[in-house]
Amino acid sequence: MNLRRLFFSVILLAGCSISVIAQQTVSGVVTDSASAQPLAGATIRATGTNAATATASNGSFSIKVPAGVETITVSSIGFKTQEVRIGSTPINIALVGTAGSLNEVVVVAYGTRRKGDLTGAITSLTAKDFQKGNITSSDQLLVGKVAGLQVTSGGGSPGGGSKIRIRGGASLNASNDPLIVIDGVPVDNNGLAGSSNFLNTIDPNDIESVSVLKDASATALYGSRASNGVIIVTTKKGQAGNVKFNFNTQASLSNVPKTVPVLSAAQVKKIITQYADSTGDNNYVDLLGNANTNWQDLIYQNAFGTDNNLSASGSVAHIPFRISGGYNNQEGILKTDKFSRVSTAINLSPKFFDDHLAVNLNVKYSHTHNNFANQGAIGAAVSFDPTQSPYATNKYGGYFEWLQANGNVIGTNGSAADPNPLGLLNINDDISNVDRMIGNIQLDYKFHFLPDLHLLVNLGLDRAWGQGHHYIDSTSSIAKYKGGIFTDYQQGKSNVLSDVSLLYNKELNKDVKFDVLVLHSYQDFFSNVYNVPNYNQSGQVDSTTIPTYKTDKPEYRLESYLGRINFTLANKYLLTASLRRDGSSKFSPSTRVGYFPAGALAWKLKDEFFKNSNVLSDLKLRLGLGVTGQQDGIAYYSYLPVYYQSTSTAQYEFGSNYYYFLRPTAYDPNIKWETTTTSNIGLDFGFWKNRISGSIDFYEKKTKDLLSVVPIAPGANFDITLLTNVGNMTNKGAEFTLNLIPVQTKNVTWNLNFNISYNKSKITNLLKNPDPSFTGIDVSNIAGGTGNTIGKFAVGYAPYSFLVYKQVYDQKTGKPIEGLYADLNRDGQITDADRYYYKKPAPDVLSGISTQVTYKQWSLGLAGHASFGNYLYNNFYSNSGVFRALQNPLHYIQNVSVDYLNTNFSNNQYLSDYYIENASFFRLDNINIGYNAGKVFHDAASLSITANIQNVFVITKYRGLDPEVSNDQGIDNNIYPRPRIYSIGLNLNF
């Protein structure tokens, strides 16, 4: 039965007449008066009797009240107890908190909890906490906002994605991305053809809250997929009441704050002329042009954008609803780059059977359109000769290109010597369209005969379809595209979820309360990839691209069982324990199942020792321990042997005939779960009614059975590497969060939020069997040379630690001496044995700070984040900052980085530690100003106005374009500049 049929079945059942009430039944909803969010677990008692019940996850309740009882008593930890007279039902009850933020309802795995009752390391953000400004993708809302969370965008491409890390990576070759759950549906993070970022399909305007689950006691409920943490995204829902409308619109202008520092045309001419004067070689002087072209200025533009969202929420025919529509259109600062999104979201939350059945239906649909610019133009603009004019009369689209005497482009191996960046942009048509529908229906049925027992059903579907084409005109200067190239692609993905669970919630007396959850979950991930050959402009098929199969249909499944108990004693002692059993089709039947237990304790020290303190408002100690698993980021069928047919140059001659071989790939039939055990100790605190609040956490993560790619002994009839379970890694760290309200008066409020975290990762083992000759695994390929790597997986070091030669410097000038390195092993020669481990890409410390000052109708806010102890390999400097690049041996001129003026290197020194640079930084992300204009349009609406500046400035010692790169390897090469964005927005409520 599909979701639509099931939903309409529920609606039909609602029409059935039910009259089983033997006593007076009182129903209603309990909410937090401060946030208007539903309160789960609040106690509803018929005053003066033993008849009691607890509110469901959506705050609803229903209780049979004995005859003669006129009031009910509503209580919840951290809220003032309220006695409510029984009248017409349903009754809406708003409880007033006694300890500020402790009463906030936080979305956790498979439910909600009050913030004051959390036992795990969880941070929850709502709209007031999000990053402000022109936000096209939901991951950007979290930058700098959560201790231990690193969100690094992949550059300035509109709608582009980010690298997200929670407490560092726990894996080497499997995925280090956290699990993302949207409205109860765990989604696939592996991307889709035609989409640069799967998260940009969700409109940030529709997001209500985001919870970041960091330790295993919080994440282990998701078991196999939670080694790298969990991010739970909850979208906005309808509330009972009159229909209200909201319209917000924002216009933005983006520009390039900084370009890559390269030589000017005058400097290029001077260096080449001086070389000719000193050597008598005028071959390159004759190639110099007379122009002064700034190629980076030519490829970038001021980019305009607009973001609009209209929503309506309330209730119609007693059915709470919310519906919204959005339109986002954003140009890229790189010419021809553009992103647009049309989206809609619908939420219905009716109740039936005297509120015993609560239904929550969510449907979100989006259509995104991408015009992808050729980002190779960024590197080409940096390296193209500034003495040449952009245009010329030729067959290559009228763009200047370096040509041989016969009129063909200079180049080898089918590549142009150095393509004109404007040609790369304009002789390129790369367009995609992506449609995504993600929705689910959640049923919460409270049994009539046992109201404390709930049947919970969550049926979800995430369906996406991407298609597009990439056309390159035959006038392209790149030789391999001679005749043009026409590539079409299509891919569909579906993710089907079925969760069925029982939840028993019981309050035995005022001191003992518990709930038990048992769950069965099934999830199926299916892809449909259409393989099509390439065509040239004349419609001829490129025979080398004809696929063996027209479609690929990879699929894998997860089946899980979960048990969890929450136990509260005397409102001071909290216990959470869980066990999840996961089975993944990515592993063989013998290793398919993994067990992931977790437990946590919390002790409310405030209520134990400082109950009557007016200074201390919260003090809670948390202890957690749990195991999580990992199976993302590896092939679907890695436990099975796969054979490939040999090429035409590798055939076996038998008589007068030639036969192809079938070449086996390396595989491990016993590959199994990678597991991470996390321990966490935390302390939550609050003073003066939480005017000062925060938390301190210390954690350790130990990963074993790492899914790692290891080299195979030479001579084996397999690949040179094998994915298997081998090795161990540890992560240790600490986190500190501080929230302050320094000023709170009638007219002025000042909020200040600060977080800082420390993390250290180390590989502790990489072998199944000892091998004294094993030094580690080469990683981190770099541009330049053949097969050069700059990083290493090595025991005792952080992942991707740089392995380099120690550069020797001239003592008088301080400049590096070309080709001269320290002989560290003192054997009289410079070999690989003299390379040493120097620094690492991952930061030691992450920090975020934000502040907001409100004065009457005005507000001013700032937000920034910082990273310390992270280093980058400046691949642009190492590849282009040499004379050999300026006077290319193929007889053409390139531009080079300004670093050449410091080194005067003739040839590349790729493995020198000179290019390992400190990339610590502080970035001011946002300055925002707001004005609440109050009622407008004859009091028909309220208006607020905002203005933002994003990416205001960066403070760093790093000499490259930007100290933030989105790859774990720490290699800086050809980055898309992050734009500075100015925006103004209007928000209307009516």
Side-chain angles (χ1 to χ4, degrees), residues 194-216:
S195 176
S196 60
N197 171 20
F198 218 15
L199 283 177
N200 69 27
T201 57
I202 304 297
D203 188 344
N205 292 294
D206 288 326
I207 294 177
E208 177 73 28
S209 67
V210 177
S211 295
V212 181
L213 283 56
K214 296 184 281 189
D215 73 331

Side-chain angles (χ1 to χ4, degrees), residues 83-332:
E83 189 172 333
V84 181
R85 179 168 293 278
I86 299 172
S88 59
T89 61
I91 302 174
N92 293 322
I93 304 165
L95 292 186
V96 178
T98 59
S101 63
L102 299 181
N103 304 311
E104 294 177 2
V105 175
V106 176
V107 179
V108 297
Y110 301 106
T112 59
R113 298 281 284 175
R114 277 195 333 108
K115 186 176 180 180
D117 292 339
L118 295 177
T119 57
I122 299 174
T123 300
S124 181
L125 304 177
T126 58
K128 63 181 175 60
D129 308 306
F130 293 154
Q131 279 283 1
K132 306 296 191 295
N134 182 46
I135 305 295
T136 59
S137 184
S138 54
D139 47 282
Q140 299 166 11
L141 298 171
L142 308 178
V143 175
K145 294 296 184 176
V146 179
L149 175 67
Q150 182 184 23
V151 181
T152 308
S153 68
S157 175
S162 300
K163 178 187 76 175
I164 304 176
R165 296 290 179 265
I166 299 176
R167 292 182 169 181
S171 187
L172 293 181
N173 290 103
S175 173
N176 279 310
D177 296 329
L179 173 66
I180 296 176
V181 181
I182 301 176
D183 286 333
V185 180
V187 299
D188 182 1
N189 297 337
N190 295 326
L192 179 76
S195 176
S196 60
N197 171 20
F198 218 15
L199 283 177
N200 69 27
T201 57
I202 304 297
D203 188 344
N205 292 294
D206 288 326
I207 294 177
E208 177 73 28
S209 67
V210 177
S211 295
V212 181
L213 283 56
K214 296 184 281 189
D215 73 331
S217 67
T219 64
L221 292 178
Y222 290 106
S224 66
R225 311 176 63 191
S227 286
N228 301 301
V230 179
I231 296 177
I232 301 178
V233 177
T234 303
T235 58
K236 296 175 182 177
K237 295 175 172 56
Q239 299 291 335
N242 295 330
V243 178
K244 298 179 180 179
F245 296 90
N246 173 265
F247 174 69
N248 65 74
T249 182
Q250 187 171 237
S252 64
L253 172 66
S254 305
N255 60 25
V256 181
K258 181 182 178 182
T259 56
V260 176
V262 293
L263 300 183
S264 66
Q267 289 173 315
V268 170
K269 289 180 179 179
K270 180 180 178 181
I271 294 171
I272 290 178
T273 302
Q274 287 178 342
Y275 176 80
D277 291 342
S278 63
T279 63
D281 183 359
N282 292 313
N283 288 330
Y284 287 87
V285 173
D286 296 338
L287 297 177
L288 290 168
N290 297 315
N292 183 14
T293 303
N294 188 321
W295 292 97
Q296 293 183 82
D297 282 352
L298 290 179
I299 66 168
Y300 295 125
Q301 64 181 355
N302 290 328
F304 295 91
T306 181
D307 188 16
N308 306 275
N309 185 273
L310 176 65
S311 66
S313 64
S315 57
V316 174
H318 304 293
I319 298 178
F321 77 96
R322 182 181 186 273
I323 183 170
S324 70
Y327 174 69
N328 182 289
N329 191 305
Q330 180 65 55
E331 294 178 335

Side-chain angles (χ1 to χ4, degrees), residues 441-454:
I441 184 169
Q442 297 169 307
L443 308 176
D444 182 347
Y445 175 66
K446 180 172 58 176
F447 288 90
H448 284 76
F449 62 87
L450 187 60
D452 295 323
L453 181 63
H454 292 251

Side-chain angles (χ1 to χ4, degrees), residues 849-872:
I849 186 170
S850 61
T851 185
Q852 190 87 14
V853 178
T854 302
Y855 173 69
K856 294 185 177 179
Q857 289 101 338
W858 291 92
S859 65
L860 171 66
L862 297 92
H865 73 285
S867 178
F868 304 100
N870 51 302
Y871 283 75
L872 288 180

